[in-house]
Amino acid sequence: MRATVLHAPRDIRLDDVDDPQLQLGTDAIVRVVAACVCGSDLWPYRGLNPVNEPTRIGHEFVGVVEQVGDAVSSLTPGDFVISPFTFSDNTCALCVRGVHTSCTNGGFWGHPDKQGHATDGGQGELVRVPWADGTLVATPSQPSQEMVTQLLTLSDVFPTGHHAAVSAGVTAGSTVVVVGDGAVGLSAVLASKRLGAARVVAMSRHESRQQIARRFGADEVVAERGKEGAAAVREMLDGIGADFVLECVGTGDSMKQAMLSARPGGRIGYVGVPHDVQLNVPQMFGRNIGLAGGIAPVRGYIEELLPDVLDGSITPGDVFDLTVPLDQVADGYRAMDERTAIKTMLSL
Amino acid sequence: MRATVLHAPRDIRLDDVDDPQLQLGTDAIVRVVAACVCGSDLWPYRGLNPVNEPTRIGHEFVGVVEQVGDAVSSLTPGDFVISPFTFSDNTCALCVRGVHTSCTNGGFWGHPDKQGHATDGGQGELVRVPWADGTLVATPSQPSQEMVTQLLTLSDVFPTGHHAAVSAGVTAGSTVVVVGDGAVGLSAVLASKRLGAARVVAMSRHESRQQIARRFGADEVVAERGKEGAAAVREMLDGIGADFVLECVGTGDSMKQAMLSARPGGRIGYVGVPHDVQLNVPQMFGRNIGLAGGIAPVRGYIEELLPDVLDGSITPGDVFDLTVPLDQVADGYRAMDERTAIKTMLSL
């Protein structure tokens, strides 16, 4: 089969690799229908995370079950499935508490499972899925092509934005500021409105991203960044700042902007993978600013979010502004790297 | 009048000072009935916070209203009142959101108010109270001497323990670990049980403190500290750690112990004033550990907690294991400094 391999920074290729085989009775093999590129894929792509050897990549995909192991009970070949960006058994003490990203038996696409068998990256034709019953969520019927685009966001980007909002504790009637206008930040705008936020401020300098933010329900847009941006936010929100701030970037600067945008007693939900983020604890303490979030336990959210996607009441797939066939994956990465695309979908 | 003055590290005296006078119509003068020494008073007492000049000290007191300004409407001379450890108007945009410690017009005892008038420390005979209607909470009737001891805890220590639990988000049926067996930590045990926690683990090496923790509802006690203590906690709690951890010390070591005691997806409520606390953000992110808390907005909690104290269903005053008259204030500080007393009450 063909699968995406990162050979070195900015050297990404579609290579011929071995087809995956069932290794355990709890496995399934999924034929990928659509995948996408994540902002976090850009860290190794840009060489900001080290790339020491050719590495399979990608962790967001939907597809059709091709084969199941004999211990798989809830899936049958032909089912259309959504895969979260981590695999998990959905039964361990941490999964039942909703922290599937810390599953005792879980792991990450492209890395070996706990039994030591390699797993596939999500940007390829086939993926061996460990703990298939626990990992995959099947849709009630076969989706249309347009619906595939929407469902693909449930693999990572939309539930990650949702996790920022849930971690912060966004409530109906509250004020929310979203730092970051990437696909996750835009998803966080949509998630906040879905949870009933009264007033959502998107911080964005880019016209095309501002438009999607507005379509997702942003009530206001602030183009300034840093201290100036936070000052504009505070002035807009009773002079005190927001009840909740969703940090969807992961840099030291974006976290500082988030801290300055929160009102005393406010909460920050953060889902930007932290790179060199230092927290000023005495300042947080004095202003009672809380911080929660982390790697999004997507598996636990899919069933909650799926009905709203299926009935069309939300269209999180609007974050995709570029679709390329799998064999043009390099173009897809380049466009995101150069920020000419917000998020790239790979069709198969 | 006589009031406590910190002249230099470990040099604390009861000095003669001027009686306070009403400065503004919103002021009241309160005759202090009982005050106490806070763990945070020990930081300057020990010279860990600088003491550059003789400084009035103390911020926890209850008393009787002696005089009110002409703009005070809810209090009359003779009322028994509880004072929170900060003053606040209880009407500004931050007070109405429950963050009285960030009140636009608020401040700290012993420091000038926003109009520039000096305020008194709480460990003295009389205190001028700014924003008396907003700051003070009157009891429905005159309390007994024993009840005074209980009510005094509402000035700081019990609502601060409560704030740790509320900030973490302690829910009925949850597991809770309390780091710190000072008066605040013990109060956090009581607050957690009051909020319905199913299993509370107190981390304490001291027999007398363990006994109070048990009396306040601790289900288990762990004597080990640091990594060993956290490992013991995890083993006790399904091998994963606690849903909620309440950090009631404020050192780097205690915060690390708290982090290691929380399960993935867990929340830390912290109320120990942070001294040299560094947070490992990537680790928090990977394990989805949330952190919230800060200086406790006590004023917003008093009315909620008062009925349970008045009807005797909780007895937070059990944290006081030493009572001295005000003129022996130096002995009261020394006992807490040497940890021969958990918490010292000063009677007037």
Side-chain angles (χ1 to χ4, degrees):
Chain A
M1 69 150 173
R2 299 174 309 156
T4 303
V5 178
L6 182 64
H7 286 260
R10 291 196 168 77
D11 177 7
I12 196 149
R13 306 179 205 166
L14 193 65
D15 288 353
D16 283 316
V17 300
D18 290 340
D19 280 7
Q21 309 294 329
L22 295 176
Q23 301 289 344
L24 297 163
T26 44
D27 286 352
I29 304 291
V30 169
R31 181 162 294 277
V32 175
V33 170
C36 48
V37 182
C38 181
S40 67
D41 292 331
L42 295 182
W43 290 99
Y45 178 81
R46 289 169 171 163
L48 298 172
N49 291 353
V51 186
N52 301 318
E53 54 184 350
T55 304
R56 299 277 287 279
I57 193 166
H59 54 254
E60 303 176 49
F61 64 98
V62 294
V64 173
V65 175
E66 190 150 291
Q67 232 189 317
V68 295
D70 51 18
V72 172
S73 61
S74 66
L75 299 164
T76 46
D79 284 348
F80 186 90
V81 288
I82 300 155
S83 172
F85 73 85
T86 58
F87 51 88
S88 53
D89 63 20
N90 203 30
T91 56
C92 78
L94 290 163
C95 282
V96 297
R97 289 169 174 79
V99 204
H100 296 75
T101 41
S102 296
C103 172
T104 316
N105 290 306
F108 292 85
W109 300 115
H111 298 268
D113 62 21
K114 290 272 159 58
Q115 287 71 34
H117 302 294
T119 67
D120 303 283
Q123 295 162 0
E125 291 177 326
L126 295 168
V127 174
R128 179 181 72 85
V129 177
W131 304 101
D133 280 330
T135 301
L136 300 171
V137 178
T139 56
S141 60
Q142 296 296 320
S144 68
Q145 184 55 43
E146 162 53 24
M147 185 51 74
V148 166
T149 307
Q150 302 298 330
L151 294 172
L152 179 57
T153 65
L154 292 176
S155 188
D156 182 344
V157 63
F158 181 52
T160 291
H162 177 69
H163 186 54
V166 170
S167 297
V170 169
T171 49
S174 61
T175 57
V176 176
V177 167
V178 178
V179 176
D181 63 359
V184 172
L186 296 170
S187 298
V189 169
L190 181 61
S192 299
K193 292 307 280 193
R194 183 180 168 277
L195 291 168
R199 210 163 156 200
V200 176
V201 181
M203 303 193 82
S204 171
R205 295 188 300 179
H206 303 85
E207 177 63 23
S208 61
R209 294 162 191 251
Q210 291 176 355
Q211 278 176 9
I212 300 179
R214 297 257 186 211
R215 201 183 315 156
F216 280 174
D219 301 282
E220 270 127 333
V221 170
V222 167
E224 295 92 333
R225 285 193 174 188
K227 283 185 181 175
E228 292 69 32
V233 160
R234 287 198 303 275
E235 192 178 323
M236 200 172 261
L237 300 173
D238 292 337
I240 56 174
D243 299 328
F244 305 107
V245 182
L246 311 186
E247 196 290 306
C248 303
V249 183
T251 63
D253 283 348
S254 60
M255 184 62 86
K256 274 183 201 150
Q257 185 172 318
M259 287 283 169
L260 291 172
S261 301
R263 67 163 172 82
R267 296 277 175 116
I268 296 173
Y270 75 128
V271 293
V273 182
H275 286 76
D276 202 22
V277 171
Q278 311 291 332
L279 298 174
N280 185 331
V281 181
Q283 194 179 80
M284 291 170 69
F285 186 90
R287 300 181 67 229
N288 269 282
I289 305 290
L291 177 76
I295 180 169
V298 161
R299 176 60 182 83
Y301 294 131
I302 295 178
E303 277 135 332
E304 175 189 352
L305 301 173
L306 182 57
D308 286 7
V309 175
L310 287 174
D311 73 12
S313 55
I314 52 174
T315 56
D318 295 355
V319 292
F320 293 114
D321 56 351
L322 177 67
T323 301
V324 298
L326 183 61
D327 56 15
Q328 290 171 28
V329 61
D331 296 334
Y333 270 80
R334 194 175 311 116
M336 280 181 65
D337 180 34
E338 293 169 357
R339 289 179 73 87
T340 56
I342 297 172
K343 194 167 175 74
T344 302
M345 181 162 120
L346 305 170
S347 60
L348 282 98
Chain B
M1 69 153 174
R2 298 175 309 156
T4 303
V5 178
L6 182 63
H7 286 260
R10 291 195 168 78
D11 176 8
I12 196 150
R13 307 181 204 164
L14 192 65
D15 288 353
D16 284 313
V17 301
D18 290 340
D19 280 7
Q21 309 294 329
L22 295 176
Q23 301 288 344
L24 296 163
T26 45
D27 287 351
I29 303 292
V30 169
R31 179 162 295 277
V32 176
V33 169
C36 49
V37 182
C38 180
S40 68
D41 292 331
L42 296 182
W43 290 98
Y45 177 80
R46 288 169 172 163
L48 298 172
N49 291 354
V51 185
N52 301 319
E53 55 183 348
T55 304
R56 299 278 287 278
I57 193 167
H59 52 255
E60 303 174 50
F61 64 97
V62 293
V64 174
V65 174
E66 190 150 291
Q67 231 187 318
V68 295
D70 52 17
V72 172
S73 61
S74 66
L75 299 165
T76 45
D79 284 349
F80 187 90
V81 288
I82 301 156
S83 171
F85 73 84
T86 58
F87 51 88
S88 53
D89 63 20
N90 203 30
T91 55
C92 77
L94 290 164
C95 283
V96 297
R97 288 166 174 81
V99 204
H100 296 74
T101 41
S102 295
C103 172
T104 314
N105 289 304
F108 292 86
W109 300 115
H111 298 268
D113 60 23
K114 290 269 161 57
Q115 286 70 34
H117 302 295
T119 67
D120 303 283
Q123 297 162 358
E125 291 176 325
L126 294 167
V127 174
R128 179 181 72 87
V129 177
W131 303 100
D133 280 329
T135 301
L136 300 171
V137 178
T139 56
S141 60
Q142 295 296 318
S144 68
Q145 183 54 45
E146 162 52 24
M147 186 52 74
V148 167
T149 307
Q150 302 298 331
L151 294 173
L152 180 57
T153 66
L154 291 177
S155 186
D156 182 345
V157 63
F158 182 51
T160 291
H162 178 70
H163 186 54
V166 169
S167 298
V170 169
T171 50
S174 61
T175 57
V176 176
V177 166
V178 178
V179 176
D181 62 359
V184 171
L186 296 170
S187 298
V189 169
L190 180 62
S192 298
K193 292 306 280 191
R194 181 180 168 279
L195 291 168
R199 212 164 152 199
V200 176
V201 181
M203 303 194 83
S204 171
R205 296 189 299 181
H206 302 87
E207 177 64 23
S208 61
R209 293 160 191 252
Q210 291 175 354
Q211 279 177 8
I212 299 179
R214 296 259 186 209
R215 201 185 312 157
F216 279 175
D219 300 281
E220 270 128 333
V221 170
V222 166
E224 295 93 333
R225 285 193 176 188
K227 283 185 181 175
E228 292 69 32
V233 160
R234 287 198 302 274
E235 193 179 321
M236 201 171 261
L237 299 174
D238 292 336
I240 56 176
D243 298 327
F244 306 106
V245 181
L246 311 185
E247 196 288 306
C248 304
V249 182
T251 64
D253 284 347
S254 60
M255 184 61 87
K256 275 183 198 149
Q257 185 172 318
M259 288 282 168
L260 291 171
S261 301
R263 68 163 172 82
R267 296 276 176 117
I268 296 172
Y270 75 128
V271 291
V273 183
H275 287 76
D276 204 20
V277 171
Q278 309 293 331
L279 298 175
N280 184 331
V281 180
Q283 193 180 80
M284 291 170 68
F285 186 89
R287 302 180 66 228
N288 268 283
I289 306 290
L291 177 75
I295 182 170
V298 161
R299 177 60 182 83
Y301 293 132
I302 295 178
E303 276 135 334
E304 175 190 351
L305 301 173
L306 182 58
D308 286 7
V309 174
L310 287 175
D311 72 12
S313 55
I314 52 173
T315 56
D318 295 357
V319 293
F320 292 113
D321 56 351
L322 177 66
T323 301
V324 297
L326 184 62
D327 56 14
Q328 291 171 29
V329 61
D331 295 334
Y333 270 78
R334 194 176 310 117
M336 280 182 65
D337 180 36
E338 294 168 358
R339 286 179 74 86
T340 55
I342 298 171
K343 194 167 175 73
T344 302
M345 181 164 121
L346 305 169
S347 60
L348 284 96

